[in-house]
């Protein structure tokens, strides 16, 4: 167990905390939920930096880190959908994309005993998704059309990142043959 993996496990533990806090009836609940989400984002940045800077990248970390990110993001998007801030199709698209990414990662683990590391497009789409979701958590009064446009933009970026990962997946497996 190293520091980056500990931070990923901490982020996993924050997932249910976010959901519970988000739905609390007190007036500042959304601020606290956004704080949990922001802390999760900071631990994501920190674990990546520490892992790379101090050469602490592990196979476990390459699985835990994206798992923690995806579970947190999925929880946030489900919560803001349940609160009526964005339409349900956003959750469905996000879930399908993440399921495909998960299946691809499992396939790579089975075929080459490794997964594709994160890249700049994935990091940008993760950042944009964080900003959009944090804004929707903090400002649920944003008009539904604007909220839908914001989440659509974030989803478009994440789908572009998915297509890039798909291209890398095909390239890596093509070289394996």
């Amino acid at each position: 167990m190293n520091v980056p993996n500990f931070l990923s496990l901490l982020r996993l533990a924050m997932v249910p905390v976010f959901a519970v806090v988000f739905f609390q009836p007190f007036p500042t609940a959304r601020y606290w939920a956004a704080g949990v989400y922001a802390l999760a984002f900071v631990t994501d940045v920190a674990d990546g930096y520490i892992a790379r800077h101090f050469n602490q990248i592990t196979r476990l970390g390459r699985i835990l880190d994206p798992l923690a990110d995806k579970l947190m993001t999925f929880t946030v998007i489900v919560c803001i959908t349940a609160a009526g801030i964005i339409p349900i199709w956003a959750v469905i698209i996000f879930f399908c994309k993440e399921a495909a990414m998960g299946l691809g990662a499992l396939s790579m683990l089975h075929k080459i005993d490794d997964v594709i590391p994160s890249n700049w497009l994935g990091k940008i789409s993760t950042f944009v998704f964080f900003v959009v979701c944090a804004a929707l958590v903090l400002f649920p009064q944003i008009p539904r059309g604007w909220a839908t446009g914001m989440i659509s933009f974030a989803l478009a970026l994440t789908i572009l990142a998915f297509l890039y990962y798909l291209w890398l997946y095909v390239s890596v497996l093509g070289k394996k043959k």
Side-chain angles (χ1 to χ4, degrees):
M1 178 60 63
N2 61 21
V3 172
N5 291 351
F6 174 77
L7 291 173
S8 291
L9 288 172
L10 180 62
R11 201 161 55 258
L12 276 170
M14 285 188 243
V15 170
V17 173
F18 172 87
V20 168
V21 172
F22 181 86
F23 288 110
Q24 291 303 305
F26 55 90
T28 58
R30 296 286 172 88
Y31 297 112
W32 286 102
V36 170
Y37 189 34
L39 182 60
F41 186 77
V42 169
T43 64
D44 181 29
V45 172
D47 83 49
Y49 174 78
I50 293 167
R52 283 186 300 280
H53 188 72
F54 296 102
N55 197 26
Q56 294 185 1
I57 297 170
T58 64
R59 287 184 60 221
L60 176 62
R62 288 175 64 181
I63 295 167
L64 276 180
D65 177 58
L67 177 65
D69 296 343
K70 303 315 176 196
L71 285 176
M72 178 57 85
T73 306
F74 185 67
T75 299
V76 171
I77 197 172
V78 165
C79 288
I80 60 180
T81 300
I85 298 167
I86 59 172
I88 193 156
W89 58 257
V91 171
I92 294 167
I93 290 171
F94 184 81
F95 177 79
C96 290
K97 179 257 182 191
E98 292 305 328
M101 292 282 291
L103 290 173
L106 287 174
S107 170
M108 288 201 73
L109 279 172
H110 176 72
K111 292 179 181 182
I112 66 169
D113 201 32
D114 204 358
V115 294
I116 295 171
S118 63
N119 61 60
W120 63 272
L121 186 55
K123 290 177 188 302
I124 289 170
S125 71
T126 297
F127 176 75
V128 168
F129 221 91
F130 165 75
V131 169
V132 166
C133 288
L136 295 174
V137 167
L138 286 170
F139 307 107
Q141 69 278 13
I142 291 174
R144 177 104 181 208
W146 279 91
T148 300
M150 291 166 63
I151 202 69
S152 296
F153 175 71
L155 284 169
L157 275 180
T158 197
I159 289 168
L160 282 174
F162 168 74
L163 293 173
Y164 184 60
Y165 282 115
L166 181 61
W167 178 78
L168 290 173
Y169 173 86
V170 170
S171 298
V172 168
L173 292 184
K175 290 178 186 174
K176 173 95 171 107
K177 292 180 182 179

